[in-house]
Amino acid sequence: MWLLKYSKRLALVQLLLLQFLLLNPASAKKDKPEISSHQLDNAPANFFYFDDSNTILLHDREAGLVHRSEDAGKTWDKVDVEAGKAWDMWRHPYDNQKAYIMGKASTHWHTNDQGKTWQDFEIPRARPSLVRAPLSFHAKDSDKVLIHGEVCRIGGILDCTQTTFYTSDGFKEIGLLRRDTRGCVFAHATPEFDTGDGEKADDRIVCVTTGRTSDDRREHRLAVSDNYFEDEHEPALEGDRTVQGLLSVAVVKGYLVAAVRAPNTDELAMYVTDDASVWHRAVFPTDSRLKEDAYTILESTSYSIQVDVLAVDPPTPMGVLFTSNSNGTYFTRNIQHTNRNIHGIVDFEKVQGIQGIVLVNVVDNYEEVERSFGQEEKRLKTQISFDDGREFQDLTVDEKSLHLHSVTEMKNIGRVFSSPAPGVVMGVGNTGKYLKGYDEGDLYVSDDAGLTWTLALEEAHKYEFGDQGSILLAIYDEGPTDVIQYSLNHGKKWHKVDLPEGKIRAKALTTTPDATSMKFFLWGTKRGGSKTEHWVFSIDFEDMHEDKCKDEDFEKWAARVDKDGKSSCVMGRKQFFDRRKADADCFIREKKFEEIEPNFDTCKCTEEDFECDYNFVRSKDRKECVRDGPLPDPKGACKNGAKKYKASSGYRKIPGNGCKGGVDLEGEKERDCGDTLKPIISGEINTERTAFPAQSFSNYFYLERAGSSSDSSKAGEDETVVMRTDKSEVYISRDHGKTWDQILKSEKIKDIYPHPHFSDVCFFVTTGKKVHYTVNRGDTYGHFDAKLEPTRDSNRPALAFHADYKDWLIWTGAQDCDEDNKNCHNDALYSTDRGGTWEYLARYVRKCEFIKEEGRGDKQKLVYCERFKDEKPDGPLQLQSSDNWFAKAETHFNNIVDFATMSEFIIVATRDDSDSLKVDASVDGQTFADALFPSNFNVPIQKAYTVLDSHTHAVFMHVTVGDRQDAEYGSIIKSNSNGTSYVLSLNQVNRNKDGYVDFEKMLGLEGVALVNVVSNINEAEKGSGKKLKTMITHNDGGEWSLLKAPQKDPEGKSYDCSTGDCSLHLHGYTERRDPRATFSSPSAVGLMMAVGNVGGYLTEKSEKTSDTFITRDGGIEWQAVKKGNYMWEYGDQGSIIVIVRDTVSTDEIFYSLDEGQTWTPYKFSEKKVHVAILSTVPSDNSLNFLLWGQEEDSDSEIVTFNLDFSQVKERQEKCKLDPKNPDSDYYLWEPKHPLSDSNCLFGHIAQYLRKLPDRNCKNGQSIQHYFNKGENCECTRADFECDYNFEPANDGSCKLVSGLEPPDHSKICKEDPEKMSYFKPTGYRRVPLSTCEGGNELEKYESKEVPCRGHEKDFEEAHRGLGGFWIFMLAVVLPIGIASAVGYWVWQNWDGKFGRIRLGEQGSAFDADRPWIKYPVLAVSGIVAVVAAVPLLVGSLWRWASGLFGGGRRYTTRGSFARGRGDYAVVDEDELLGEDEDEEV
């Protein structure tokens, strides 16, 4: 009975419960999604889902907080990290459990459980990088992460070292990977990349690093390591050669791509590897070049790379789309006129998950846009390809063309058109002829991967995909709205749902990355009074009433179909998906977080499944593969008279292609043995003579192709030269003078201006307003009209150029000239479109220059002008600057003489109240500081400066001491690292009346320079002639000595040195007719040639008294090679040296193939020729030379002779570059100091690659000669020079100048807050280039170590426990040891034959973290100069020496001369004041 009553009660309860569930809407299945809202305090800086989850992290950067939601945004919690410290947030791309929060300083956090818990980690003394992504990931091991940081001094942002750290155990430990990096990646940065070396290369890391001696971006290189940089190597990118100028590296699917900046051009070369070991240069069609910041690597496939290359420059950029073959080396054009924006973003997107379908936007009116220079608006059309870009077609809606807004107008986050939902594609756009504005667009949808489209919703909407395409969600995107709309049948029918917080402006709509979730996340804003409110919404479809899909609700859908709707093949397979039918009334539900995997059917092979094999390329009509040059020699196949052999057909199946049967193009093909033959080599030097109807050459310039430019086919082959005669006629040669063409025949060209930063660009200035130009080395020409005629000031250039933007120009023109075309003043105008339009910059100027240079800040518009005060030409000159085209100007100085912009400094000469010159310096172009000259340097009235060089973080300056005519001389002083404090380096250095100095740095070798000093000052000032002696320094001006004389003359006879005063003396820069005839070349390391004599002093330059000499070891040992005066040039990086008579007519040259050990004569002419100039390309890497002169019996024409060594049999094979291999054609050369028994120089052993002189091969592509910096050496006296306020005594030691105080070394603590202590001055400081350790550290000798303020405790702890033994060692033994070493050095080296020796040093602390100082990469001619210097001034700056080459400019470097850059910086008061008459140009 009791049991029966219980059963009835239970049934009643169940009935009531069922009624409750049916009536309660919160518990029953729903007919619309559930929406919840949450208000944020600030706008989110970033948010993301963890893959395969509903967990979201949201970063509030303004508050420094991170929020977390586990239910797709319905509820939120703050994560447990220090409040206010979260600066950035990153998700691991391959581990859905891990994420990272980066702090502003050194403390950061990581999570291993999707943000539930966080652990902190610290990168000591470093903060996250501000210039690149702070983290790089390993795709196969998520515990391995690279951290890019910055280690900054003085807590600032300017003096920072880019440093990379690593962890291999999930941040349990963090180690230093490498300093001076510019981006690092794991080779396994994507799942698709495979090194092929298994575990051996699992930790392979590739970094872009600074150069071995400099941070100049032209020297950036690639470094690879398999053990976290315990050791590293530089991979060969171009055959067996390494390449400099690395810009960046990136892993794209299965490819590692490196971009290389070509010097003196805006082009890039691309190098590709698919195993991180063997690299290849990517080859593009010859009419397409990669430009810096102007190519975009797009989303690629596992079997090709896709790149969009800029074809039309901003402001209306357009590109060309290319696709590579399977190893990424050969690219073919897909479609032209692609739409790009100024940031390099391209309207290109693949349909996700489906092979071969691509949508692009192209510019329909490209011709009008290109002609209008940005005035014509682009008209865009959308195109789609279903075959990987081979063919494109229109999108259509009911036979109308459809155009969609794409990637350049991102309105949401994530992909624009598609998601992993198979075949469902959406976009905002319009039908018609071209794309209209976004607000004029509607929402369209396609469920067949873009083949056909239908209108989904009117007006523009943001949209998203869910439940593998079962749910489409959209929200109005042209203004505020309070509803969302969704469709459950691929967009055919839409339903509206109200948002709970009223109207919002949608900012982002997203869901899980795999589009399988039924939950969505929306962020929007609304006005809340005077404040913008930020709201996030969770939109959940999981509780809606639709059933779970059954098998019959799915269809087998062909991903790719042809025009007839039949399934088509890609990579040898047809692709199918089992996807939910559009009208199925169900949700997939249980397949949440499971992406749909495609099914494949194998296809028969067709021609499209094959690509060209190695050494083959596509024919012009793209129909077949043809051989690219001679084929490899078949082993033994063509011996014994055989005429045929079997080899590759020229085709191979694309790797990864799955086709079977059908067409087979891979089979071997019978070929002629003649196909393997190389061109017939004559073995002789070839000569081409050309005559010109003129009296003299005015000037000429090389427009040399850079060896790493993208147009590799012309690098080294197109050796363009432009030349102007005294008749103002201009000629051009594209083959180094073999053939010449006259150009601009109807114009009288006043001057030629090669662009100093872009070697393809050259301007031809007429006497009027018209200026012609070429931007492609003479392929085509254009012109513009300046508003003013060029300046009448022959000492000033009419054009100034920008270092980064080749179309930015400053024109200095003459204004208000009188009837005689005189008494003008100069106005400056600027153009940013290569003369298309001009705007006034400044009036009443003497000159204006762009200041932008490497390392000089990011103010691209910064311009300096010398302007006459109150616009009065007879008034004082002011130095003004502006970074907004002089809408607002800042006056830095009110009475200047001139200024020079140099590679590392800006030097300004001003006049003080006593009419003496004064120097100020700046390193950033914005802040100036007074230059303090040595206290023992007494020049009452400083009348002239010559700025010599600034490549070693210091300025070398010549200050005139005696200016009596024909007896000019002065002192060389050397600055500290910011150019403001100087010490004496050498007295009595020779200069001429024009301010040029006998000073020349050896190119490509650290710290070697030569000067001529006046040995008879007193007699010379009384009217006697100067007696010059040549001196050399091997430690950057710290010590100087006379040149050691060779024992034998060129004829093998001993030099007469019976007087005992016998050394080698060389004719220097002040006597040169051609400023490009430098002693050395940066590409021929260790070699110098010169003309001079052996004796007590330099004698007159003549055939009887002068000989020609060579050194092969950086100036230590010299050899006399020819009697008389010769000119010389280096070719093929020094493997060929050509010399020719200088002062007498001749018909022969001599050449050497073994660094001048032997010489071979060659007769180049049937007539005697007076050769004025011997030239070659500025890089000295050509096999061609050019003689410029006049034949003896002719006074009406001038001639050039091209000497071509490319057929010489000893230079046919390319040298093998592997110095560690005994069979290598190169060896490692170690320069040394002449007073040292070891090979230590600047505190370390430096190794340089040099070709073995006896090897019969050619260098070919430019070599990085600086190979390695070995271990640091112990310090010796040669590593030091006198400190500020100290001077050298007679015994060689450094003594305090009487009455002066020692420098304050405590400044180093302020400059480097990490310094714990400093040493009080001893009188010595290290030469900046030195990296020595231990030994005779003279800056610490007898010096007290003092703690820096704030580090007293650390100092005490570090020095605790010093026992009696160590006190004895430090107090007694060490001083005796050092004193003995110094005494031994003096005894060894001071024997009275070194001439006057002066020691000089910096006056303040040097950057100890950067001991490697930049050496000149471009040739700095013996003169003085800096690679980027512009003339500091001098009336003769624009003059050439007299003779055949009359009129023109004077230059100081091979690079500057060839490019038209005046690098010699001279300030002379008389000439600056206009007291000398200007010579005609």
Side-chain angles (χ1 to χ4, degrees), residues 445-460:
V445 65
S446 169
D447 65 355
D448 54 11
L451 185 63
T452 60
W453 294 77
T454 58
L455 176 65
L457 293 170
E458 294 184 349
E459 312 290 355

Side-chain angles (χ1 to χ4, degrees), residues 1139-1211:
I1139 61 176
V1140 66
R1141 287 280 189 175
D1142 186 8
T1143 54
V1144 297
S1145 297
T1146 184
D1147 58 1
E1148 68 176 359
I1149 56 103
F1150 292 86
Y1151 67 93
S1152 175
L1153 304 180
D1154 54 10
E1155 295 186 348
Q1157 297 178 41
T1158 60
W1159 295 89
T1160 304
Y1162 171 75
K1163 186 174 181 179
F1164 67 87
S1165 174
E1166 295 300 323
K1167 299 178 181 180
K1168 295 283 187 178
V1169 179
H1170 173 65
V1171 179
I1173 296 292
L1174 166 62
S1175 71
T1176 187
V1177 295
S1179 67
D1180 294 324
N1181 194 28
S1182 175
L1183 296 173
N1184 284 266
F1185 301 82
L1186 202 55
L1187 301 174
W1188 308 73
Q1190 192 168 36
E1191 293 170 339
E1192 277 190 336
D1193 60 352
S1194 174
D1195 57 3
S1196 61
E1197 65 179 19
I1198 49 181
V1199 292
T1200 62
F1201 291 87
N1202 167 271
L1203 306 176
D1204 184 357
F1205 284 75
S1206 63
Q1207 297 288 303
V1208 174
K1209 62 182 180 180
E1210 293 89 347
R1211 291 296 177 265

